[in-house]
């Protein structure tokens, strides 16, 4: 990296035409899971007269005889008459057939079970903390906090961040806008719950983002803030050819 001139790397970056349309942003202060489907469900026949949605990593099956969708959640299943939901605890599902398909799908790494596969879904519903299921056929992101989002000030700035989440969620107390970082892109909105979210170029971020201390828990976002040493280092590293051997 030291052999590569920063000015050259920064002066001749490759440019691409990208779509920066905001994804569907789902905000939840209670347990929730998100299943993404690449467009409308593509069904493929499987065993026991069931059909499997093949354009998703989640395990979603359809029973044409009942006109019912089943989604594998934790150690059991939830059901819905429509792919968009609402999803509820499955009551009269063909358990044997569903579990047979689930075992084969997990063993072959075709699908991924939402939630912890060894936790009891029945107990979660009984205790009132079963996760809400969201299924989206368009690009979406789930912002999940553990209860109401507490805003924690960032020293030396007008920014605050949400501390009880793994997502990067900020608020600027000057303009009262919320900012989120998703896949390297920034989006802003006046409301976490209701949106609407708009794409904002990183160069148009409030100047205080570049002042986030490196010791702050959210310092990792500095790589996505233009002009910071972290962003410059990332630009240099991006110019270095990378190779990988894939079996």
């Amino acid at each position: 990296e030291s052999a590569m001139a920063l000015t050259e790397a920064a002066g001749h970056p490759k440019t691409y035409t990208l779509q920066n349309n905001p994804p569907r942003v789902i905000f939840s202060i209670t347990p929730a899971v998100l299943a993404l489907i690449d467009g409308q469900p593509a069904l493929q026949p499987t065993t026991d007269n069931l059909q499997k949605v093949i354009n998703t990593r989640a395990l979603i099956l359809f029973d044409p005889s009942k006109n019912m969708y089943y989604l594998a959640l934790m150690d059991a299943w939830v059901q819905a008459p429509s792919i968009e939901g609402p999803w509820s605890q499955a009551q009269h599902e063909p358990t044997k057939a569903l579990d047979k398909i689930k075992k084969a799908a997990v063993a072959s790494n075709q699908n991924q079970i939402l939630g912890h596969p060894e936790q009891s879904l029945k107990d979660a519903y009984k205790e009132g903390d079963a996760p809400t299921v969201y299924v989206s056929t368009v690009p979406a992101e789930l912002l999940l906090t553990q209860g109401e989002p507490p805003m924690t000030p960032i020293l030396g700035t007008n920014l605050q961040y949400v501390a009880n989440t793994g997502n990067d969620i900020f608020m600027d107390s000057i303009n009262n806008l919320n900012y989120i970082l998703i896949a390297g892109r920034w989006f802003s909105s006046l409301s976490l719950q209701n949106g609407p979210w708009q794409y904002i170029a990183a160069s148009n971020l409030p100047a205080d983002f570049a002042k986030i201390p490196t010791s702050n828990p959210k310092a990792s976002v500095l790589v996505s803030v233009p002009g910071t040493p972290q962003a410059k280092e990332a630009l240099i590293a991006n110019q270095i050819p990378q190779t990988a051997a894939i079996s």
Side-chain angles (χ1 to χ4, degrees):
E1 292 183 1
S2 61
M4 301 192 67
L6 173 61
T7 54
E8 181 180 353
H12 305 283
K14 293 182 180 180
T15 59
Y16 301 90
T17 301
L18 303 176
Q19 291 187 7
N20 294 310
N21 301 329
R24 174 191 176 193
V25 177
I26 303 167
F27 180 79
S28 179
I29 62 174
T30 59
V33 292
L34 172 63
L36 293 174
I37 302 179
D38 188 12
Q40 291 301 311
L43 297 172
Q44 185 179 78
T46 184
T47 58
D48 299 291
N49 297 318
L50 297 173
Q51 297 175 336
K52 180 181 177 183
V53 180
I54 59 174
N55 52 339
T56 177
R57 276 290 286 168
L59 181 55
I60 306 176
L61 302 173
F62 179 66
D63 187 345
S65 65
K66 296 182 178 180
N67 197 33
M68 188 70 68
Y69 285 93
Y70 297 97
L71 183 147
L73 175 63
M74 298 165 70
D75 70 341
W77 298 85
V78 290
Q79 65 182 31
S82 167
I83 196 67
E84 290 85 10
W87 295 86
S88 59
Q89 184 178 11
Q91 300 293 341
H92 304 291
E93 76 277 15
T95 305
K96 186 176 181 181
L98 292 176
D99 289 346
K100 177 182 177 182
I101 297 173
K102 177 166 68 173
K103 183 177 180 180
V106 172
S108 61
N109 197 31
Q110 291 181 357
N111 298 96
Q112 183 176 352
I113 306 302
L114 297 184
H116 197 296
E118 295 182 2
Q119 287 185 333
S120 172
L121 181 62
K122 182 179 180 180
D123 290 346
Y125 270 105
K126 185 183 299 183
E127 296 168 4
D129 59 359
T132 302
V133 177
Y134 296 97
V135 175
S136 181
T137 57
V138 298
E141 185 80 9
L142 176 62
L143 304 181
L144 190 62
T145 61
Q146 298 178 1
E148 292 292 338
M151 290 296 181
T152 303
I154 298 179
L155 188 64
T157 74
N158 292 307
L159 300 176
Q160 303 176 65
Y161 72 93
V162 178
N164 61 345
T165 178
N167 301 107
D168 295 317
I169 307 175
F170 300 85
M171 188 187 76
D172 185 353
S173 57
I174 297 297
N175 57 21
N176 290 323
L177 277 177
N178 298 289
Y179 295 87
I180 56 175
L181 179 63
I182 298 176
R185 297 187 178 108
W186 291 95
F187 300 90
S188 65
S189 171
L190 281 171
S191 171
L192 284 176
Q193 292 82 0
N194 304 316
W197 293 93
Q198 295 181 331
Y199 168 73
I200 177 170
S203 57
N204 293 330
L205 286 171
D208 277 358
F209 273 94
K211 300 177 184 178
I212 296 177
T214 56
S215 58
N216 189 271
K218 288 298 179 181
S220 59
V221 304
L222 289 170
V223 74
S224 298
V225 179
T228 63
Q230 292 81 359
K232 293 177 181 178
E233 290 174 6
L235 185 59
I236 294 174
N238 196 48
Q239 308 299 318
I240 303 174
Q242 304 291 327
T243 61
I246 302 175
S247 172

